[in-house]
Amino acid sequence: MTTYTTTYRNALRDAMSEEIRRDEKVYLMGEEVAEYNGAYKCSQGMWEEFGDKRVIDTPITEYGFTGLAVGSAMKGLRPIVEFMSWDFSMQACDHIINSAAKTKYMSGGVVDCPIVFRGQNAASGRVAAQHSQDFAGWYANIPGLKVIAPANAHDAKGLLKAAIRDDAPVIFLEHEKLYGMENEMPTDLDFTVEIGKAATVKEGTDVSIIAYSYSVETAKEVAKNLEKDGISAEVIDLRTISPLDETAILDSVKKTSRAVFIQEAWAYASVGDSVASLIQSKAFDHLDAPVEVFSGERTPMPYAANLEELALPQVDKIVEKIKTMVK
Amino acid sequence: MNAQNIEQFKSEYSTEQLIEVYRQMLRFRRMSEKTAQMYQQGLIGGFCHLYTGQEAVLAGTFAECEKGDDHITSYRCHAHALACGVDEKEVLAELTGRATGISKGKGGSMHMFAPDKGYWGGHGIVGAQVPLGTGMAFYHKYMGNQNICVTSYGDGAANQGQIFEAMNMASLWGLPVLYVVENNVYGMGTAAKRVCAGELHQRGAAFGIEGEKVDGQDFFTVAEAVKRARKYILENKRPYIIEMDTYRYRGHSMSDPAKYRSKEEVQAVKENRDPLIRIYDCLVDERGVKESELKEIDNIVKANLKESVDFAVNSPLPDAAELMTDIMPK
């Protein structure tokens, strides 16, 4: 197998470009995706290669272009819609939820909507409350949507290609702090990562640390710190939030008997709370400690650097808590 | 655009074709009336929006559309399904929540679809069908098809911001979409004049989209406008707006007693502007069709409808296992 190494940002670009070359029905649409090469440069060079038909700059009009893309998907095109920030999807979530997610069911199965909504999600750093929210739980709550949040460049490419080929509407949550991360990945044009499968990032025996997106980096750092105290942590990267890989979570917890979840999102009604509920209902007898969920503080994201740091999950706090769990 | 001389346009329709138009409009009318009855009998649940009074809008539009054109509308969608070629049986079975319904009993009154017939619903969020329909026109442009998407919405929906967003892109990208504004005078219980500034057919003007207002109660006027609009859209690669001046005889939905308007107002439209009476009079007075022949058509429509009602009420409810199917593609 031949491989190459590139960044998360370019992996997304490569995934989109390969799928646009492969399938004439695939196109990319969004604000600044074409001539500007993407607000975060995730579509660098694509407009130059594919032109106006396949890489389309839209007006700043999320509700409208999302509905338009969904309509074209119902007819059989396979749009990739970029939100400059997932916070902006609030303007468009009616079409994501009421049109894209529900129409298959409402039509008795005859209308499909093969579409990918992608963009930067959660706290990219110092952009305050209206550009920092983690929407994983919001969209994972909706039947009819798949929700993906890759934590490295390899998975970003493989999962985005899988999402574009999937016939369901897919929410694809990227993270600005990961855009520069470099990983090795196959050059094979049919390389995909299966949707709905978690990955064991690091094996361990004392505690399972479960996370998605950038919080996997936090989890890895926590695990590294715990090693100094002789605690062996297993790190599980969910990769897909919905459908959830329950087997991977439960198998890990049954092995380690302790579970910790890390997320940037607010705790109440979140992915972390749902996973904690799952573990406690399906692996209760295996637990040696209550499941702990570390989340963003329940406040709009502050701008000041010190406050923003305090609002997000803290490695030190998580390490200290796990030490008390593993005595 | 100059309208064609309406007498000349009329002469392009054979008597046979006009009888078929009359039969279609009767189907819309009779099914609507039957639906109201069935709702009152408790056979239909939830929200239920009827089309009585607006039949010429649909009949005229469909008379001048071509195979491959797409149609999308709001929750007032039962007659649209028939116009696209769906059978009364499937519509009534859906209304009664049966397994044999067009959406297997999962969509109900507001959500009917037949993509194989170019029918895309059936949408319950007011105005949402407009960007969706604009996207279907985007598809036709993308694929290089010589087809349009007829995107219908009411005077109530006309104030939704997403319609302006869609029109902006339709104009920028030259999308083959015909916006049909069914102005039936009331958006739920609110008169259009109380909430709509300006003229609805001029709402695209800021985006360079032309439009016109026509008498939506007259089949020929509607058909002539749609024929011209369709040609204009495809030849010029431009969207177009037709505002249909129409009227609904029933309340907004079955739960609306329509106290915001007088009985006299409704009666005046029924007597002077009824779309079925107009086409009936044309057939009898101008084409020499016997009234007995038209009566016979009505009898056949009613007999078919009765058969469809029987089919619906005798159909099984959806199987419990259907609860969790059709959520995700296989």
Side-chain angles (χ1 to χ4, degrees), chain B residues 248-264:
Chain B
R248 65 168 150 76
Y249 293 172
R250 311 280 314 199
H252 164 73
S253 70
M254 283 304 295
S255 58
D256 169 21
K259 288 184 174 166
Y260 40 83
R261 61 187 187 185
S262 67
K263 280 184 182 149
E264 292 73 22

Side-chain angles (χ1 to χ4, degrees), chain A residues 42-229:
Chain A
C42 291
S43 51
Q44 186 76 49
M46 287 179 66
W47 177 66
E48 202 175 43
E49 177 178 353
F50 301 110
D52 291 331
K53 183 179 175 184
R54 313 292 296 280
V55 182
I56 303 161
D57 275 332
T58 65
I60 302 171
T61 180
E62 287 87 1
Y63 199 2
F65 73 68
T66 301
L68 189 151
V70 168
S72 80
M74 288 173 175
K75 282 292 293 175
L77 298 184
R78 306 184 80 87
I80 307 163
V81 173
E82 176 174 312
F83 292 120
M84 199 180 291
S85 161
W86 271 96
D87 297 81
F88 305 164
S89 79
M90 293 294 90
Q91 301 262 3
C93 65
D94 171 47
H95 278 300
I96 299 174
I97 297 169
N98 280 310
S99 302
K102 295 181 186 173
T103 301
K104 184 167 182 70
Y105 196 79
M106 297 194 302
S107 67
V110 297
V111 179
D112 273 317
C113 189
I115 188 167
V116 177
F117 305 102
R118 50 157 289 270
Q120 132 69 24
N121 178 64
S124 57
R126 309 295 308 279
V127 291
Q130 292 178 339
H131 292 71
S132 296
Q133 191 172 332
D134 176 0
F135 288 91
W138 282 51
Y139 289 111
N141 184 246
I142 310 296
L145 294 178
K146 293 184 179 178
V147 181
I148 295 172
N152 59 63
H154 171 276
D155 290 350
K157 184 173 184 192
L159 283 165
L160 183 53
K161 284 168 69 77
I164 295 166
R165 295 181 187 193
D166 202 285
D167 286 334
V170 178
I171 304 291
F172 196 90
L173 306 170
E174 299 156 13
H175 203 296
E176 201 272 342
K177 289 177 188 165
L178 298 172
Y179 278 148
M181 179 193 266
E182 281 196 340
N183 298 103
E184 194 178 2
M185 62 200 79
T187 50
D188 181 2
L189 295 179
D190 281 323
F191 158 62
T192 57
V193 170
E194 191 181 348
I195 296 171
K197 294 284 178 212
T200 306
V201 175
K202 175 187 171 296
E203 299 222 17
T205 53
D206 298 328
V207 59
S208 301
I209 308 176
I210 306 153
Y212 60 88
S213 191
Y214 182 73
S215 294
V216 173
E217 288 298 295
T218 311
K220 280 154 70 177
E221 208 181 324
V222 168
K224 208 169 159 189
N225 281 329
L226 288 169
E227 271 175 19
K228 295 173 202 158
D229 292 285

Side-chain angles (χ1 to χ4, degrees), chain B residues 260-278:
Chain B
Y260 40 83
R261 61 187 187 185
S262 67
K263 280 184 182 149
E264 292 73 22
E265 180 185 307
V266 182
Q267 200 51 37
V269 180
K270 284 184 177 176
E271 281 170 18
N272 305 318
R273 297 180 63 215
D274 184 79
L276 274 140
I277 292 176
R278 283 189 181 181

